[in-house]
């Protein structure tokens, strides 16, 4: 997975917000706020390809008192938020695509 280009993280009034730039403004139409923990992960994600397990490992190394299960659950929610807001390039094609393939005898 990868974070799409054309997105920056800004701290505004003590909250972290993902801000689209350039062509991404048309795709990312919601304001997406993330936690300080998610901002910590974003700093890594913006420059690397990653898998969920990479993020869980980083959380476990950086924070104390969090279980692996809780970290995985929170990261799932975070990744879903990014994916649902067209921020994450996760290989999933979204939207409706219709294709008609002709049959050899001329019928479709």
């Amino acid at each position: 997975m990868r974070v799409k280009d054309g997105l920056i993280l800004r701290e505004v009034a003590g909250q972290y917000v993902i801000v689209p730039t350039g062509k991404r403004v048309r795709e990312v139409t919601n304001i997406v706020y993330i936690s300080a923990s998610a901002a910590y992960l974003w700093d890594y994600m913006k420059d690397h390809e990653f898998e969920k397990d990479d993020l869980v490992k980083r959380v476990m190394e950086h924070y104390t008192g969090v279980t692996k299960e809780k970290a995985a659950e929170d990261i799932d929610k975070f990744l879903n938020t990014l994916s649902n807001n067209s921020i994450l390039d996760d290989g999933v094609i979204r939207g409706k695509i219709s294709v008609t393939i002709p049959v050899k005898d001329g019928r479709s």
Side-chain angles (χ1 to χ4, degrees):
M1 281 182 268
R2 213 171 163 77
V3 171
K4 290 182 179 179
D5 63 346
L7 298 160
I8 56 175
L9 182 67
R10 290 289 184 244
E11 186 177 354
V12 179
Q15 294 191 345
Y16 294 95
V17 62
I18 298 171
V19 179
T21 63
K23 65 182 179 179
R24 291 287 176 233
V25 172
R26 291 185 299 257
E27 287 180 32
V28 181
T29 57
N30 294 327
I31 296 174
V32 180
Y33 293 95
I34 62 174
S35 68
S37 300
Y40 164 74
L41 292 175
W42 179 272
D43 191 49
Y44 172 78
M45 294 164 59
K46 67 182 172 67
D47 297 321
H48 299 90
E49 286 195 24
F50 57 89
E51 296 299 325
K52 175 185 162 185
D53 290 340
D54 299 325
L55 303 180
V56 171
K57 181 180 176 188
R58 293 186 70 77
V59 166
M60 298 304 296
E61 291 172 352
H62 187 75
Y63 295 98
T64 58
V66 63
T67 65
K68 188 173 184 178
E69 293 76 21
K70 180 63 176 159
E73 179 185 322
D74 289 348
I75 288 169
D76 276 336
K77 290 177 187 174
F78 175 49
L79 293 176
N80 283 334
T81 297
L82 297 182
S83 206
N84 291 338
N85 285 285
S86 300
I87 292 170
L88 190 62
D89 186 357
D90 56 3
V92 176
I93 298 173
R94 290 173 178 77
K96 190 174 185 180
I97 298 173
S98 177
V99 178
T100 303
I101 301 173
V103 181
K104 284 188 177 186
D105 67 2
R107 293 179 288 160
S108 57

